[in-house]
C-alpha cells in the first residue's frame, strides 16, 4: 500500500539577530504551535522552542540544534525520530555552588515530574570562559576560552554513561544594568547571550553528532514590573534548563551520509516541502541549502516581512525565489493552500486570465 | 586517555569575510538561470571553503550585501588548533 506523502515544514528564526518575533524568550513558540497544526512534520530549532521554564511538547515537532539543522539542510545528515533520549548534563566549572545546585535541582525536577531520563551530570575540568561579542551587523556572537574542557566533559558522559543528548549549562557574564540587557528585557534589541549559546551547542553537535542545547547560568535579576511579555519567560526563576531538557528528551538523532533516502524512518532534506524564514535573514546556511531542491521540485520558500531582524539579506539578493508574505498567519495560510492544491493567486478578488507564452521562432 | 585531552589547544575565533556573489567563469553551471549570481547552495559551499582557510567553520551567516560590488559580508566563528 502506498503511504500518503507527509508534509514537512522547516521553521527558521536565527538566534541573536534581534528577530522581532522569536528574538526573545521562547516568543516564537506560538508560531511553531500554529504551524504544527497544518503540517505533518515541523522541523525547527531550540531558539524557537525554548522558553526557559515554558515549553510545549508536540508529537510532530522535531527539535534540531542549529549546526545539525545546517547539516540536515545540506543533505549531509538525516534525522531519525526517537521515543526518548538519555540525557547528560554538562555544568561549567565557572558556575558558583548555589547556581549549580539550582540547576541540578531543575534536572531532578524534570526527572521527578516529567519522567525525563537525565542520567548524570559532570562539571567541566576548567571554567569555559564565555565571552560575549556584538559585531558590526548588530548580531550577538561569542567565544569560549576553554572549548576543549566542554568537549572532554561531553565525551565522558557519552563514553561512561551512554547518553544520547547533551544539555550544557555555562556561566554567562552578568551584565545587569547594561543598555543591551535593559532593551532585551523590554522586548527590543538583540539577545546579547544568544550568539555565544549557539557557539557552545554547535561545537558539541559538530564534534559528537548528537543533539545538544544550552541554558545560560545567570544570577536572578531584580524585579522590573515593566518587562515585555516577549522576555518574561526568563524572569521566572533561577534556571532556563527545563525547556532544554524537554526538547532534548525527544530530539531526533542525526544519521550521517546519504543512506537516509533508503531508510523510511529517517527524514532527509529532499522531503522538505516548505521553509519559513524572516524576510531579511536569508543569509543563513540552512535556507541557502534548502532553496534549491536536493531532488525534484524545490520547496515553498516563504519570507515573512513583519519579523524584522538586524540582518539585511533578502531572498532576491541571493537569487532565491520566495513567496513574500507579511505575517506568520499568512504563511500558515500559504501552506494550507499548497496542501489543498490551491494556487494562492486564485484566493485574491481579481484573477487574471491564463497567460499565453509567446511564439518561438 | 581522553581523545580531547589536548583539546585545551582548541580556540574559537571570530572572522569577517567579503565573498563574491557571482559565479566565476568556470562555474557558470552553478549560477541562477539567466543570471551570473551563484545559486545559494553553491554560494553556501563556496563560503564554507573560504572559511576553511581560517579554521574549522562553526557558525556563520551572510549579514549584508554590497549591491554595487555584488559581494556578501560574512560573519563567522571558526575553531582553530593552537600550535
Amino acid at each position: 500500500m502506498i503511504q500518503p506523502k507527509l508534509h514537512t515544514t522547516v521553521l527558521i528564526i536565527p538566534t541573536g539577530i534581534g528577530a522581532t518575533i522569536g528574538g526573545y524568550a521562547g516568543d516564537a513558540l506560538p508560531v511553531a504551535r500554529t504551524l504544527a497544526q497544518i503540517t505533518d512534520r515541523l522541523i525547527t530549532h531550540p531558539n524557537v522552542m525554548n522558553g526557559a521554564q515554558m515549553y510545549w511538547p508536540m508529537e510532530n515537532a522535531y527539535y534540531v540544534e542549529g549546526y545539525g539543522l545546517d547539516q540536515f539542510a545540506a543533505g549531509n545528515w538525516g534525522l531519525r525520530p526517537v521515543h526518548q533520549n538519555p540525557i547528560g548534563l554538562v555544568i561549567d566549572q565557572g558556575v558558583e555552588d548555589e547556581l549549580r545546585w539550582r540547576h541540578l535541582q531543575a534536572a531532578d525536577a524534570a526527572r521527578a515530574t516529567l519522567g525525563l531520563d537525565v542520567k548524570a551530570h559532570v562539571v567541566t575540568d576548567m571554567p569555559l570562559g564565555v565571552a560575549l561579542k556584538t559585531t558590526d551587523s548588530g548580531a550577538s556572537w561569542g567565544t569560549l576560552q576553554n572549548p576543549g574542557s566542554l568537549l572532554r566533559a561531553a565525551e565522558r558522559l557519552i563514553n561512561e554513561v551512554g547518553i544520547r543528548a547533551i544539555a550544557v549549562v555555562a556561566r554567562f557574564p552578568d551584565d545587569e544594568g547594561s543598555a543591551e540587557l535593559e532593551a532585551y528585557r523590554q522586548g527590543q534589541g538583540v539577545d546579547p547571550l544568544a550568539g555565544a549559546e549557539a557557539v557552545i551547542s554547535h561545537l558539541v553537535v559538530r564534534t559528537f553528532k548528537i543533539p545538544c542545547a544550552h541554558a545560560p547560568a545567570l544570577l536572578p535579576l531584580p524585579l522590573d514590573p515593566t518587562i515585555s511579555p516577549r522576555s518574561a519567560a526568563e524572569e521566572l526563576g533561577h534556571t532556563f534548563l527545563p525547556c532544554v531538557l524537554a526538547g532534548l528528551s525527544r530530539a531526533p538523532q542525526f544519521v550521517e551520509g546519504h543512506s537516509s533516502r533508503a531508510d523510511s524512518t529517517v527524514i532527509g532534506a529532499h522531503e522538505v516541502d516548505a521553509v519559513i524564514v524572516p524576510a531579511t535573514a536569508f543569509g543563513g546556511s540552512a535556507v541557502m541549502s534548502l532553496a534549491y531542491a536536493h531532488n525534484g521540485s524545490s520547496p515553498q520558500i516563504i519570507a515573512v516581512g513583519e519579523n524584522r531582524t538586524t540582518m539585511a539579506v533578502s531572498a532576491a539578493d541571493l537569487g532565491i525565489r520566495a513567496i513574500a508574505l507579511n505575517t506568520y498567519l499568512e504563511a500558515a495560510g500559504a501552506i494550507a493552500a499548497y496542501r489543498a492544491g490551491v494556487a494562492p493567486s486564485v484566493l485574491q478578488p481579481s484573477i487574471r486570465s491564463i497567460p499565453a507564452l509567446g511564439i518561438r521562432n | 586517555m581522553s581523545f580531547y585531552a589536548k583539546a585545551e589547544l582548541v580556540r574559537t575565533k571570530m572572522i569577517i569575510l567579503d565573498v563574491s556573489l557571482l559565479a566565476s567563469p568556470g562555474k557558470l553551471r552553478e549560477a541562477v538561470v539567466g543570471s551570473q549570481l551563484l545559486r545559494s547552495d553553491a554560494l553556501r559551499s563556496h563560503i564554507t571553503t573560504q572559511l576553511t582557510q581560517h579554521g574549522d567553520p562553526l557558525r556563520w551567516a551572510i549579514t549584508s550585501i554590497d549591491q554595487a560590488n555584488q559581494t556578501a559580508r560574512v560573519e563567522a566563528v571558526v575553531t582553530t588548533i593552537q600550535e
Side-chain angles (χ1 to χ4, degrees), chain A residues 14-16 67 73-74 76 126 133 135-149 151-152 155 194-195 198-199 202-203 206-208 282-285 287-289 291-292 294 310-314 316-320, chain B residues 1-16 21 30-33 35 37-45 47-48 55-67 70 72-80:
Chain A
T15 193
Y67 187 88
N76 298 330
M126 302 168 79
K133 295 180 167 58
T135 58
D136 293 344
S137 71
S140 70
W141 294 83
T143 55
L144 297 183
Q145 195 177 351
N146 296 307
S149 186
L151 298 180
R152 285 192 293 276
E155 185 189 40
V199 165
H202 280 36
L203 189 60
R206 188 183 75 182
T207 306
F208 299 106
F282 273 75
S285 177
V287 68
M288 289 172 68
S289 298
Y292 285 88
H294 290 272
T310 61
M311 301 289 101
V313 183
S314 70
D317 288 333
L318 302 181
I320 294 172
Chain B
M1 188 172 87
S2 165
F3 179 73
Y4 296 98
K6 292 188 177 176
E8 64 268 21
L9 301 176
V10 177
R11 291 286 178 264
T12 51
K13 187 170 79 170
M14 258 220 73
I15 59 172
I16 294 173
L21 292 169
E30 295 180 350
V32 176
V33 175
S35 125
L37 277 180
L38 262 179
R39 279 195 343 236
S40 62
D41 55 342
L43 179 61
R44 187 256 306 152
S45 295
I47 290 170
T48 306
D56 203 353
L58 195 56
R59 185 176 193 239
W60 62 266
I62 301 173
T63 58
S64 62
I65 302 288
D66 180 338
Q67 299 286 0
Q70 285 294 287
R73 169 61 55 94
V74 177
E75 294 180 358
V77 173
V78 301
T79 54
T80 58

Side-chain angles (χ1 to χ4, degrees), chain A residues 75-156:
Chain A
N76 298 330
W77 295 359
L79 305 176
R80 187 191 299 282
V82 300
H83 292 295
Q84 61 167 284
N85 289 310
I87 302 168
L89 178 61
V90 172
I91 300 182
D92 180 1
Q93 192 188 91
V95 175
E96 301 90 327
D97 283 352
E98 181 173 334
L99 261 181
R100 186 177 72 251
W101 280 115
R102 293 287 188 189
H103 284 87
L104 290 173
Q105 288 172 352
D108 274 341
R111 295 169 64 223
T113 64
L114 307 179
L116 303 187
D117 188 13
V118 187
K119 281 205 173 305
H121 80 277
V122 62
V123 175
T124 60
D125 55 21
M126 302 168 79
L128 295 181
V130 175
L132 308 180
K133 295 180 167 58
T134 302
T135 58
D136 293 344
S137 71
S140 70
W141 294 83
T143 55
L144 297 183
Q145 195 177 351
N146 296 307
S149 186
L150 171 64
L151 298 180
R152 285 192 293 276
E155 185 189 40
R156 283 194 61 193

Side-chain angles (χ1 to χ4, degrees), chain A residues 3-11 32 35-44 58-64 72 79-81 252 260 263-276 335 339:
Chain A
Q3 297 293 323
K5 184 186 184 320
L6 296 177
H7 185 274
T8 302
T9 297
V10 175
L11 171 64
L35 292 172
Q37 290 293 314
I38 51 142
T39 189
D40 295 312
R41 299 186 293 205
L42 176 67
I43 297 169
T44 190
M58 291 176 273
E59 282 292 323
N60 64 335
Y62 298 92
Y63 181 88
V64 181
F72 164 77
L79 305 176
R80 187 191 299 282
S260 58
D263 184 344
S264 64
T265 66
V266 175
I267 308 168
H270 61 285
E271 296 177 83
V272 173
D273 297 289
V275 185
I276 306 176
I335 291 173
R339 295 198 71 177

